[in-house]
């Protein structure tokens, strides 16, 4: 967050960064939780590298679920819930990641992973992969066009059986791309375009209500109609006001509850916190931070992910994952938090 102080002299207005401690002091109070686990650091050291996670839940054996995470300088990691690296795929500069289960891939249902590919910063691509849950490995399927501009965020949604990837370009353009991965070479077609005014990244789709959520970093949280035939006009849910949501507004995650209710979570990167809003009426619920405990806390978080449900004895009610921008002396990694701990701290139903 930048503040500009004007002086009576003719000198230019100076820009200084407001310290994190000041931003925290000015923000709405947040409750504290601790992580129960963490991933091994990404391979790119001394750099802003880890960025965004996605979760695959193993319904038959929840403790054997998998996490896919990006090293935006190098490629994609697959981790177990113990945090250990199961596999790495050199995919180059992939920024954000999402996945969907039960997608037709080459004639058979599978787990499709999509990543925003910015190897060419002038022209966005969506890189597609198959996740093999038995071996915890990724196989590259190909890339589809994401439109002119630098790829940033990506999220997947499904409406009436049609799979869409929403790719958020750095300038706030959002292209909805219809994906067909069922042939030997995947294809994609941009079916409509939406627009926010400035730099945007995090996004998530609620398939139940056909709603797309997008974070505009210095402005706030928005929602769109996610249906291909829907309106392209955004509705603001919350402003980055320096209180509840402190810019940059970064990663997004959804926790569906019942038919229409649940929560949308946003990384309030400017003050190392996470903000929770109610899906049914966009109301503010509360804020929390991940602080030092058995493992370190998380700061300056880019990507987040959340999935409710049984993930075994360590995460029985659900799993929240946050990228950690300051992982002590090691490279960046991802922190794993039990949803039960967050819900208890915020006084939410469990």
């Amino acid at each position: 967050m930048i503040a500009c102080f004007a002086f009576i002299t003719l000198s230019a207005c100076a820009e200084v960064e407001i310290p994190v401690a000041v931003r925290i002091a000015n923000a709405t109070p947040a409750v504290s939780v601790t992580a129960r686990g963490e991933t091994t650091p990404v391979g790119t050291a001394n750099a802003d590298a880890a960025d965004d996670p996605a979760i695959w839940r193993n319904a038959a054996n929840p403790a054997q679920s998998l996490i896919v995470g990006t090293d935006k300088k190098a490629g994609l990691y697959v981790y177990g819930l113990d945090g250990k690296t199961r596999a790495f795929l050199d995919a180059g500069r992939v920024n954000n990641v999402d996945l969907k289960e039960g997608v037709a891939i080459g004639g058979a249902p599978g787990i499709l992973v999509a990543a925003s590919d910015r190897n060419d910063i002038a022209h966005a691509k969506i890189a597609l992969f198959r996740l093999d849950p038995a071996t915890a490995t990724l196989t590259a399927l190909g890339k589809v066009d994401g439109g002119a501009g630098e790829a940033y965020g990506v999220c997947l949604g499904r409406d009436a059986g049609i799979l869409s990837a929403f790719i958020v370009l750095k300038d706030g353009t959002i292209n909805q791309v219809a994906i067909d991965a069922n042939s030997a070479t995947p294809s994609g077609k941009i079916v409509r375009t939406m627009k926010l005014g400035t730099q945007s990244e995090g996004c998530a789709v609620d398939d139940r209500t056909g709603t797309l959520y997008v974070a505009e970093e210095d402005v706030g949280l928005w929602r769109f109609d996610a249906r291909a035939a829907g309106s392209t006009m955004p509705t603001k849910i919350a402003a980055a006001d320096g209180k509840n949501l402190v810019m940059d507004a970064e990663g997004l995650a959804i926790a569906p509850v019942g038919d229409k209710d649940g929560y949308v979570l946003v990384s309030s990167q400017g003050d190392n916190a996470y903000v929770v809003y109610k899906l049914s009426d966009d109301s503010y619920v509360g804020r929390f931070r991940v602080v030092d405990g058995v493992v370190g806390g998380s700061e300056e978080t880019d990507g987040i992910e959340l999935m409710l449900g049984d993930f075994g004895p360590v995460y029985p009610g659900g799993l929240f994952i946050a990228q950690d921008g300051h992982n002590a002396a090691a490279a960046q990694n991802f922190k794993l938090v039990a949803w039960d701990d967050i819900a208890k701290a915020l006084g939410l139903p469990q």
Side-chain angles (χ1 to χ4, degrees), residues 177-192:
V177 183
I179 300 289
D180 181 2
N182 202 30
S183 56
T185 302
S187 62
K189 178 182 179 183
I190 297 175
V191 294
R192 66 172 183 156

Side-chain angles (χ1 to χ4, degrees), residues 194-235:
M194 295 156 279
K195 188 72 173 72
L196 293 173
T198 60
Q199 184 167 309
S200 306
E201 182 176 3
C203 69
V205 180
D206 187 347
D207 286 337
R208 303 169 308 162
T209 60
T211 305
L212 167 69
Y213 296 87
V214 183
E216 187 177 2
E217 294 187 3
D218 292 346
V219 178
L221 175 63
W222 300 85
R223 58 180 164 85
F224 291 87
D225 191 328
R227 296 169 296 182
S231 169
T232 59
M233 296 299 295
T235 299

Side-chain angles (χ1 to χ4, degrees), residues 248-293:
D248 297 336
E250 288 278 349
L252 281 182
I254 290 174
V257 177
D259 292 334
K260 293 184 179 180
D261 211 348
Y263 309 98
V264 55
L265 281 69
V266 190
S267 171
S268 179
Q269 190 186 73
D271 75 320
N272 302 331
Y274 311 92
V275 193
V276 183
Y277 299 94
K278 201 168 174 59
L279 288 174
S280 58
D281 59 10
D282 301 336
S283 61
Y284 168 78
V285 173
R287 291 161 41 85
F288 67 96
R289 291 192 177 91
V290 181
V291 300
D292 290 350

